[in-house]
Structure formats: C-alpha cells, structure tokens
Amino acid sequence: MADAQPFDMRDGVIWYDGAFVPWADAKVHVLTHALHYASAVFEGERAYGGVIFKMREHNQRLIESARLLDFEIPYSVEEIDRACEETLARQGFSDAYIRPIAWRGSEMMGVSAQHNRIHLAIAVWQWPSYFDPAQRLKGIRLDLAQWRRPDPLTAPSKAKATGLYMICTMSKHAAERKGYADALMLDWRGQVAECTGANIFFVKDGVIHTPTPDCFLDGITRRTVIGLARARGIEVVERAIRPEELSGFEQCFICGTAAEVTPVAEIADWRFTVGDITSTLMNDYMAAVQPSAPKAVAAA
C-alpha cells in the first residue's frame, strides 16, 4: 500500500554494520554492487506484542540466502537476532515490520566482486496491513501474471534474493493498474506457483492443496499455516497444480509475513468463497503470532 511518508525521510534509527545511525543517514553509494547487479538478500519479519515471530528462522534463512549468492554475512545468527530486537526497542514499537538486508558494497564495480565488503542493515517500521483491510475481509482479487517463476537451474530459488523480486514488482504493478490487489504467478512449466510476495493455498472438499515449492520460496509463514491446518486435522496436500484446476476449488487464500493469512475471492475469471477453513486459519494464525506474555518495549 502507498504511504505518504517517503522511506528515506522517516524518524528513528537504523542498525547499520553494527551501529545505530539516524534513519536519514543510512545510505549507500550509487556505485554499490547490489544496486547494479542485485547482489543482496533480505528478510521480512513481524513483531507482535514486542516479540518478533519466528525471528531465528528468518535470520537463519538470511544467512543461507547470502551463501547461495556466494557471500558470507559477517555476523552470526545470534548477533542478527540481537540486532533485530535492539532495533525494535530503539524504534519504540510493539507491533512492527522488521527488514534485515545484506548486500555487496562498492569496492569493485563489475560482475566480479569477490573483494567487496558485505554490509548488513536492519530497519523497523509500522506496517499494519499489506492489503486494504476492507478488501481483505471479503477476499482480495488477483490477476494472472504475465511473468513466470524461473527454472531453479537459472536462479537460486531457495534464496530470498532481491533480484528474484524484479518480476514480482512488474507483475504487481500490472495487476494494480487493472484494479487487482496482486497477481498469481505460474512457473516456467505453466504450473501454479505463488503470488508476488506470498504463497498460495486452495481448498476443495475439506482438503487444502498447495503448490510444491520447488522453484519458489518455501515460506516460513507457509510452513506455519500448514502446521496449524494439520494440528486441526485438516489434510494438506503439496503437489503440482495446473491453472485449469482452479475452477474446481472452493476456497483460496494466500499467506506471508506481510500478507499474514488473506482470503482470495477472485483470480482472473475464477471465483472463490471465504469459507470456514480459510476463516479458521486466519484466526489460528493471528493467535499463533501473539506472544504468551507481551514483552515490554522501551525506547533507548
């Protein structure tokens, strides 16, 4: 969703290479390798009640994503965890979005950049809802994207790498211009893959069906939702799904750290209802992310 306040002009601090700097001073040079060659990885995390949900899993994935892009983040997962918590506290938020990002710097400019310094920054801001709240309750509308998720032999699909989101931005812009909230992306084989920033699920005859994540990110929220469904005795089938099958599904929802669990009412010409399984998992997920004892947040 659009925000009236530019992201480079906000208040507070950003954790940057081990120190807190004023928000507006967290900058990189125009010849930073990551800007030209997408040599960067990131995470999206959410805090509820002052506690970052599944923080360790997110930050472990950040480190693994960097390794897949052939660089090592110069901080341990424990140090990144602590930095995320300290940044959340400094910003003074209880419910917030946390964005760690690691990238190659500006020492070398060209495809080859083995000697570039690896940087890490962590920013925290308030991001209440990824989709319009009123639209979300009745189910969002999805377009069918022109662009497809690539063959994993052409890109590191298990990494949360910035370059992999180029076609997501293009697909979401095209969908929004047509009045949709987001877009469903197929993979290079023409099978259902994911949305531009969220995994997707379908429901038929009380069974949940979701694409096998063999060329896109196996989301942490995705795995959480599968666990919640199975805890309720709901069968979850991970398999290849063809677009022509969509007319036979009754319900559809997407999930991700930003999207949480969001019902889908339409995908192009296909229609779905916001049924009991979708509603139950929406509620179960929001219950699961709440800390058992809210953590006090004090601005430093």
Side-chain angles (χ1 to χ4, degrees):
M1 296 176 66
D3 196 301
Q5 188 179 23
F7 271 84
D8 60 347
M9 296 176 62
R10 298 188 172 215
D11 295 326
V13 294
I14 288 176
W15 189 96
Y16 195 125
D17 287 342
F20 287 103
V21 300
W23 189 287
D25 294 339
K27 299 176 181 179
V28 297
H29 193 272
V30 71
L31 294 182
T32 295
H33 192 272
L35 179 61
H36 295 255
Y37 299 102
S39 54
V41 295
F42 71 101
E43 276 298 323
E45 309 175 18
R46 269 193 188 269
Y48 299 87
V51 177
I52 303 171
F53 184 64
K54 297 204 169 178
M55 175 180 64
R56 174 57 56 90
E57 289 181 42
H58 279 286
N59 293 335
Q60 285 175 331
R61 186 172 67 182
L62 181 74
I63 289 172
E64 290 305 313
S65 293
R67 288 174 179 159
L68 285 168
L69 264 66
D70 195 34
F71 68 82
E72 292 284 335
I73 296 174
Y75 298 95
S76 68
V77 66
E78 291 80 11
E79 289 172 320
I80 300 171
D81 286 350
R82 188 162 58 250
C84 287
E85 292 176 331
E86 289 175 357
T87 309
L88 177 65
R90 291 254 186 161
Q91 288 297 93
F93 299 145
S94 180
D95 299 319
Y97 186 82
I98 297 90
R99 169 58 57 87
I101 182 166
W103 70 96
R104 284 192 176 99
S106 54
E107 287 77 11
M108 297 174 68
M109 178 47 58
V111 173
S112 179
Q114 296 98 324
H115 303 297
N116 286 31
R117 181 181 177 185
I118 305 304
H119 299 271
L120 176 66
I122 301 165
V124 172
W125 66 89
Q126 291 179 301
W127 196 0
S129 181
Y130 189 61
F131 297 106
D132 176 79
Q135 189 181 35
R136 185 169 177 255
L137 288 174
K138 63 183 181 181
I140 62 171
R141 299 172 62 243
L142 304 180
D143 190 17
L144 192 60
Q146 170 190 352
W147 300 98
R148 296 187 174 191
R149 303 310 303 168
D151 183 330
L153 294 177
T154 69
S157 59
K158 294 187 183 299
K160 196 169 177 68
T162 58
L164 293 174
Y165 284 80
M166 176 186 68
I167 55 175
C168 299
T169 295
M170 295 163 66
S171 298
K172 190 169 176 68
H173 285 182
E176 290 177 342
R177 280 195 292 269
K178 292 191 279 186
Y180 293 95
D182 204 345
L184 171 65
M185 304 183 76
L186 306 181
D187 67 19
W188 88 100
R189 299 162 295 197
Q191 296 173 177
V192 173
E194 60 176 348
C195 288
T196 63
N199 293 122
I200 193 162
F201 294 79
F202 302 93
V203 180
K204 181 179 181 180
D205 298 330
V207 176
I208 295 175
H209 301 257
T210 190
T212 303
D214 58 1
C215 64
F216 56 89
L217 209 62
D218 181 9
I220 291 169
T221 307
R222 177 186 183 274
R223 294 198 299 267
T224 300
V225 168
I226 289 173
L228 291 170
R230 287 176 174 160
R232 283 194 172 269
I234 302 169
E235 184 181 358
V236 181
V237 179
E238 298 180 73
R239 63 178 180 86
I241 298 174
R242 301 290 304 182
E244 52 266 29
E245 295 183 63
L246 268 57
S247 60
F249 292 120
E250 302 145 7
Q251 301 173 48
C252 177
F253 62 91
I254 64 174
C255 75
T257 297
E260 297 170 315
V261 176
T262 296
V264 173
E266 300 178 23
I267 303 176
D269 295 329
W270 297 288
R271 302 290 182 268
F272 309 94
T273 60
V274 183
D276 290 344
I277 288 179
T278 299
S279 298
T280 295
L281 290 174
M282 284 181 72
N283 293 332
D284 284 358
Y285 181 75
M286 293 313 297
V289 299
Q290 299 300 326
S292 54
K295 189 175 181 179
V297 176

